């Protein structure tokens, strides 16, 4: 009976240790990826397939329609920032694509 009580504790410890190791490894990858290039993500290339299909440009010609006033913009007041359409890449604040939606609120 004594061994049955120690086995679940040992199993629980090993599961916790394994999960912790995986989380530390993943957080290390995320940190190293975001810290490369000075903490900035790569910029979207307008000639890439997805960007081209959406008509993405670094400088909008649409009056009052820019990435930084789009609902999908994730860059705050920066010149380049994230976009929900292009995960892992940055778009120009003054850029535009066909997915532009006016920012609400």
């Amino acid at each position: 009976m004594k061994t049955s009580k120690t086995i679940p504790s040992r199993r629980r410890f090993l599961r916790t240790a394994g999960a912790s190791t995986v989380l530390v490894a993943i957080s290390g990858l995320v940190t190293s990826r975001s810290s490369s290039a000075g903490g900035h993500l790569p910029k979207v290339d307008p000639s890439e397939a997805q960007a081209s299909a959406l008509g993405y440009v670094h400088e909008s010609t649409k009056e009052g329609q820019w990435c930084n006033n789009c609902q999908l913009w994730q860059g705050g007041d920066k010149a380049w920032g994230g976009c929900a359409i292009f995960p892992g890449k940055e778009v120009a604040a003054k850029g535009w694509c066909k997915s532009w939606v006016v920012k609400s609120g």
Side-chain angles (χ1 to χ4, degrees):
M1 288 270 230
K2 191 174 187 180
T3 56
S4 66
K5 288 186 178 183
T6 59
I7 291 175
S9 296
R10 193 175 307 147
R11 286 182 186 162
R12 189 175 309 127
F13 170 79
L14 291 174
R15 278 190 215 136
T16 303
S20 298
T21 302
V22 169
L23 288 175
V24 167
I26 290 172
S27 68
L29 288 173
V30 170
T31 302
S32 67
R33 182 177 275 181
S34 67
S35 66
S36 64
H40 298 285
L41 297 171
K43 293 175 172 60
V44 171
D45 180 351
S47 65
E48 292 174 0
Q50 181 182 6
S52 178
L54 293 172
Y56 173 78
V57 292
H58 290 312
E59 291 191 36
S60 175
T61 58
K62 308 282 184 180
E63 185 66 34
Q65 295 184 10
W66 301 284
C67 289
N68 67 356
N69 67 3
C70 174
Q71 186 68 36
L72 304 169
W73 174 252
Q74 302 168 343
D77 60 355
K78 298 178 184 175
W80 290 84
C83 173
I85 299 295
F86 301 103
K89 297 195 177 181
E90 290 186 333
V91 296
K94 294 299 177 188
W96 180 88
C97 81
K98 294 176 184 176
S99 297
W100 184 87
V101 178
V102 68
K103 188 179 284 188
S104 61

